[in-house]
Amino acid sequence: MPTDSIAPSEDVSSKVDIPPVEDLLSTAVEAVGGVERPGQITMVRAVQHAIESGDHLAVQAGTGTGKSLAYLIPSIRHAMTSKGAVVVSTATIALQRQLVDRDLPRLAKALAPRLPHEPAFAILKGRRNYLCRYKASAGWPDEEQDQLFDPREVNATGRMVQRIQEWANETETGDRDELVPGVNEQAWRQFSVSARECLGATRCPSGMECFAELARARAGESDVVVTNHALLAIDAMEDFPLLPEHEVVVVDEAHELVDRVTSVVSGELSETMVTVAARRVGKLIEQHLADRLMESGEDLKALLAAAPAGRLDDLPQVLGMTLALVRDAAWACVTALGPRNGDKDDPEGAGLRRAAFTSLDEVHDTAQRMLDAFGHAEEVDRAEVVWLEAGTDRRPPLLRVAPLTVAGMLRDKLFGDRTVILTSATLALGGAFDGLARQWGLGNGKNAAGDETREKESGEGGGGGEDKDGKKRRKGGKAGAGWEGIDVGSPFDHPRSGILYVAKHLPQPGRDGLPEAYLEEITELIEAAGGRTLGLFSSMRAAKAATEALRDRLSVPLLCQGDDSTMLLVKQFAEDEPTCLFGTLSLWQGVDVPGPSLRLVIIDRIPFPRPDDPLSSARQRHVAAKGGNGFMSVAATHAALLLAQGAGRLLRSQHDKGVVAVLDPRLATARYAGFLRDSLPPFWPTDDPAKVRSALKRLSDS
């Protein structure tokens, strides 16, 4: 298999003339029975130019462009002429599997006769995704076993544990994604370790057969390494490398990059985490020190249970004292454990000590980080936000901390010493790349015509300046590197294939659920379309309320997210034409249903972040404090991304036709409406409900 193939040790690239990317693209397209598209050709040339020049590149490429080939071909060509691999990072498992199971095998086979050797590729994930042979055989205790109070959950987890044990004797990769159906975190945690918990290949008794190390070895021998945004961020920000040496990174699904990186660098603290740390260290140090940590966790539990959920702008005195108690108790345990590598001759003891150090470090560092988030004289000096998240039946309340921006991190750590290609169907928000570029930490760039884009005032980093000659200087990226943004278009004829309908006559959405007028509008649209509708709602509550209200009014089948697994619901929706599917966030970006089963996409309201969302509201306030427009930089950008992704569900093949119906009249009337509409595909626009129903009826009858 190509994933197991190894590039020859002899450097033969200098002995073979490698064709230009245009020729390689023609070879690949012919091999897969496809047709070259103008946007694909433009993109393959732009990616090649970026790799050669060292400048970063943002490419908006609509569905059907063939962007995977357009970035893989220049990437493979570069890998053939350099010592390092090219890293391709994605946000979703689905795209990773598409690249590794379909696109790369076909491409490697097609290009092999024209290259020095057949391209080798591999997939690499974080260590937590691989089964740890040593932990599985050592039988480490489960420190959280009494956190499951529901006997049914305990029994279900026990069955999953047994299934993992059986699978562990059969698997060749140890990759968690091979387990179908999947298992919960409680079960998987008993068989996996984080990078910080790992003993390392040289110290671990199972190091020579470690699944994670074998995956890294395969990646080190590959021309293209497929990974995810989380591991890419960790590799860029940690002191120890996780990915093979590389000069070029392709970030696919780049609209997700900021959120995924934010998740990686965010922290949380709960009574459960403190309790786990105390249990892990309990048998390794004097009991009174572990008891002190346990007691601080109980204090934290009582405090969080009584406190209201939400953002913390100031540090309450009692919370500050409790966090300090937790921090100091954790540090006392760390000190008592002694040297971190003080048990080289005791592998089992080393594993338990490493696990204890990891938990204690996380508790200590997160508590200190939360204390450091407060006490700034001015809002512009604040770097992080802390909030309390309410508990549920399955978990206790917890404190979270997250950075107000990851722009500086990305600029210094990701873009600092490599060339980065960022691509997605949704990058040019409001018709420009500036919004996302600021979030990535890039400054002014160039558009497709070669003109400099203007840095809008938003208060987010990455601004440009002037050099001694008065010319614009672009910050961000490698030393001397700039960036360019291009939109290579779409093979779809949006004005002829789709209608953007804004229900301007409806009332503005309120907080009390869907108004009757909205339910009537949805009913009329679905009846005109004969079903075939994907309903995208701003919340699960709204999706369920609409489903319950409309099932009695409609004669077509109506599914709702949560009725079954999302994958099975989408499959049923795609296979039965009259069926409708209602849901929320994962459906906005995760549905690919070409053909007559999808003729109508309904969006109930503009998907702004909730006003009480702690991170979003704090970021808006922070941007405003720096003189920018917090609403446009944060809330409107978030809404534009989701709207564009949701509208993109409609046309998935050349023959698709239909309507995107936005029920929120603010898309036609609000001052920010133009920015949002300019972020959408160029459908034919109307606010006439009669025209829309007539068009849907014609499609239904055809």
Side-chain angles (χ1 to χ4, degrees):
M1 290 182 61
T3 49
D4 297 324
S5 61
I6 300 175
S9 56
E10 180 186 4
D11 182 11
V12 298
S13 60
S14 60
K15 302 178 183 179
V16 178
D17 290 331
I18 301 179
V21 289
E22 295 89 347
D23 290 356
L24 294 176
L25 177 62
S26 297
T27 298
V29 170
E30 182 180 357
V32 300
V35 177
E36 288 186 41
R37 305 179 179 98
Q40 190 179 47
I41 297 172
T42 300
M43 181 173 173
V44 80
R45 289 172 175 165
V47 173
Q48 178 66 19
H49 175 73
I51 291 174
E52 291 175 348
S53 68
D55 282 353
H56 307 304
L57 176 69
V59 187
Q60 178 164 286
T63 302
T65 302
K67 70 177 186 297
S68 296
L69 282 184
Y71 66 66
L72 286 174
I73 286 173
S75 296
I76 289 172
R77 191 179 189 278
H78 172 73
M80 294 285 158
T81 59
S82 67
K83 294 182 179 179
V86 171
V87 172
V88 177
S89 178
T90 78
T92 62
I93 293 174
L95 182 53
Q96 287 180 26
R97 295 260 56 106
Q98 176 188 314
L99 290 171
V100 173
D101 295 341
R102 190 189 72 179
D103 295 348
L104 279 165
R106 296 163 69 184
L107 187 57
K109 183 177 180 181
L111 297 184
R114 309 200 65 183
L115 297 174
H117 61 264
E118 181 172 334
F121 55 91
I123 187 168
L124 186 61
K125 305 175 185 180
R127 193 170 290 271
R128 272 285 190 197
N129 293 278
Y130 298 98
L131 181 137
C132 173
R133 289 187 185 273
Y134 175 53
K135 188 171 184 179
S137 62
W140 292 358
D142 177 15
E143 301 90 352
E144 299 183 43
Q145 56 190 351
D146 65 351
Q147 298 296 323
L148 290 175
F149 300 106
D150 187 340
R152 290 173 298 180
E153 287 196 36
V154 174
N155 291 336
T157 299
R159 289 192 293 272
M160 291 178 186
V161 167
Q162 183 177 357
R163 190 152 59 85
I164 296 172
Q165 290 171 331
E166 295 170 352
W167 169 77
N169 296 321
E170 304 169 356
T171 179
E172 296 181 0
T173 67
D175 187 337
R176 178 180 178 177
D177 290 331
E178 286 185 3
L179 274 168
V180 179
V183 296
N184 62 28
E185 280 296 315
Q186 181 74 14
W188 182 251
R189 196 179 295 118
Q190 298 180 48
F191 296 88
S192 66
V193 296
S194 67
R196 294 186 181 277
E197 291 172 318
C198 177
L199 291 174
T202 58
R203 297 183 64 200
C204 178
S206 302
M208 295 299 293
E209 51 183 4
C210 172
F211 288 123
E213 292 297 327
L214 291 172
R216 287 190 66 191
R218 285 192 294 269
E221 298 164 348
S222 299
D223 300 300
V224 177
V225 178
V226 178
T227 188
N228 55 64
H229 294 351
L231 188 62
L232 178 69
I234 296 171
D235 176 75
M237 295 171 193
E238 293 286 359
D239 295 331
F240 47 87
L242 300 174
L243 295 168
E245 182 180 345
H246 59 281
E247 299 174 343
V248 177
V249 175
V250 178
V251 181
D252 203 341
E253 300 174 309
H255 62 281
E256 294 261 28
L257 180 63
V258 169
D259 285 346
R260 299 302 173 104
V261 173
T262 299
S263 295
V264 168
V265 298
S266 295
E268 63 180 50
L269 187 65
S270 68
E271 174 264 338
T272 300
M273 293 174 57
V274 179
T275 299
V276 168
R279 287 179 176 170
R280 284 185 171 184
V281 77
K283 296 181 180 180
L284 304 174
I285 62 173
E286 295 181 19
Q287 190 61 44
H288 73 92
L289 292 174
D291 290 344
R292 176 183 164 194
L293 181 59
M294 186 75 75
E295 289 167 4
S296 73
E298 292 171 356
D299 291 343
L300 182 65
K301 176 182 180 181
L303 179 60
L304 298 186
R311 190 181 72 209
L312 297 172
D313 293 330
D314 299 298
L315 179 63
Q317 184 178 8
V318 65
L319 177 58
M321 293 174 60
T322 304
L323 288 173
L325 285 173
V326 171
R327 175 200 62 193
D328 295 344
W331 184 248
C333 293
V334 169
T335 302
L337 270 175
R340 292 180 181 259
N341 295 321
D343 42 24
K344 296 181 180 180
D345 298 326
D346 180 13
E348 183 174 352
L352 296 174
R353 283 169 53 83
R354 180 63 65 92
F357 272 122
T358 300
S359 287
L360 291 169
D361 287 342
E362 184 175 10
V363 168
H364 172 273
D365 295 350
T366 305
Q368 183 62 58
R369 181 177 170 186
M370 290 175 174
L371 290 167
D372 292 341
F374 299 96
H376 302 288
E378 302 290 340
E379 175 61 33
V380 293
D381 298 324
R382 192 190 296 264
E384 301 204 289
V385 59
V386 177
W387 71 96
L388 174 60
E389 190 170 292
T392 67
D393 294 339
R394 293 176 176 268
R395 63 161 180 78
L398 52 84
L399 284 171
R400 292 191 182 276
V401 58
L404 288 167
T405 175
V406 295
M409 265 182 261
L410 288 173
R411 180 179 62 244
D412 297 338
K413 301 295 186 179
L414 179 61
F415 296 95
D417 57 0
R418 54 181 63 83
T419 300
V420 183
I421 315 296
L422 304 114
T423 185
S424 168
T426 312
L427 293 181
L429 304 179
F433 293 85
D434 302 49
L436 286 180
R438 284 193 298 271
Q439 294 185 14
W440 297 329
L442 300 177
N444 296 341
K446 292 182 180 180
N447 59 25
D451 304 319
E452 271 192 21
T453 61
R454 290 174 298 169
E455 181 76 10
K456 298 179 182 178
E457 292 185 4
S458 72
E460 299 228 2
E466 292 187 356
D467 61 22
K468 61 183 180 181
D469 299 319
K471 296 180 180 179
K472 272 288 185 180
R473 183 176 66 248
R474 289 167 287 158
K475 288 185 180 179
K478 302 193 304 185
W483 69 275
E484 181 179 5
I486 63 169
D487 183 351
V488 301
S490 166
F492 302 151
D493 188 346
H494 286 92
R496 291 181 176 272
S497 301
I499 296 173
L500 173 63
Y501 166 53
V502 181
K504 188 177 178 181
H505 62 284
L506 291 179
Q508 286 195 19
R511 296 185 178 182
D512 300 327
L514 291 172
E516 177 61 27
Y518 278 51
L519 295 174
E520 292 177 359
E521 186 79 19
I522 295 173
T523 301
E524 292 174 357
L525 289 169
I526 291 177
E527 287 177 341
R532 303 177 175 89
T533 299
L534 177 65
L536 303 177
F537 292 83
S538 55
S539 69
M540 184 56 74
R541 184 178 68 173
K544 289 181 176 178
T547 303
E548 185 176 342
L550 295 177
R551 271 183 172 149
D552 292 336
R553 304 189 191 193
L554 296 170
S555 59
V556 295
L558 179 53
L559 308 174
C560 184
Q561 192 174 3
D563 291 347
D564 205 333
S565 75
T566 300
M567 181 179 66
L568 291 176
L569 289 173
V570 172
K571 184 174 184 291
Q572 187 176 344
F573 170 61
E575 292 176 350
D576 184 29
E577 282 190 24
T579 296
C580 303
L581 175 60
F582 287 1
T584 185
L585 189 60
S586 62
L587 298 187
W588 286 74
Q589 305 183 74
V591 176
D592 186 6
V593 180
S597 291
L598 179 52
R599 295 299 194 199
L600 173 63
V601 175
I602 294 178
I603 297 174
D604 70 327
R605 63 191 299 162
I606 298 172
F608 291 119
R610 288 172 55 94
D612 59 354
D613 178 83
L615 182 55
S616 174
S617 60
R619 283 178 166 173
Q620 289 187 56
R621 184 181 62 179
H622 188 67
V623 171
K626 297 175 75 173
N629 187 324
F631 173 80
M632 293 301 296
S633 293
V634 180
T637 296
H638 173 92
L641 270 174
L642 270 183
L643 272 178
Q645 287 288 311
R649 300 309 97 201
L650 181 67
L651 304 184
R652 309 302 296 178
S653 73
Q654 292 280 1
H655 304 292
D656 289 347
K657 295 181 183 295
V659 172
V660 174
V662 181
L663 307 185
D664 191 335
R666 293 176 294 177
L667 192 60
T669 60
R671 58 181 173 79
Y672 49 78
F675 171 78
L676 296 179
R677 290 197 304 270
D678 287 345
S679 305
L680 297 174
F683 297 118
W684 183 78
T686 185
D687 57 16
D688 187 336
K691 289 182 178 178
V692 170
R693 290 195 295 269
S694 177
L696 287 170
K697 189 70 168 61
R698 289 195 299 272
L699 278 176
S700 178
D701 294 339
S702 63

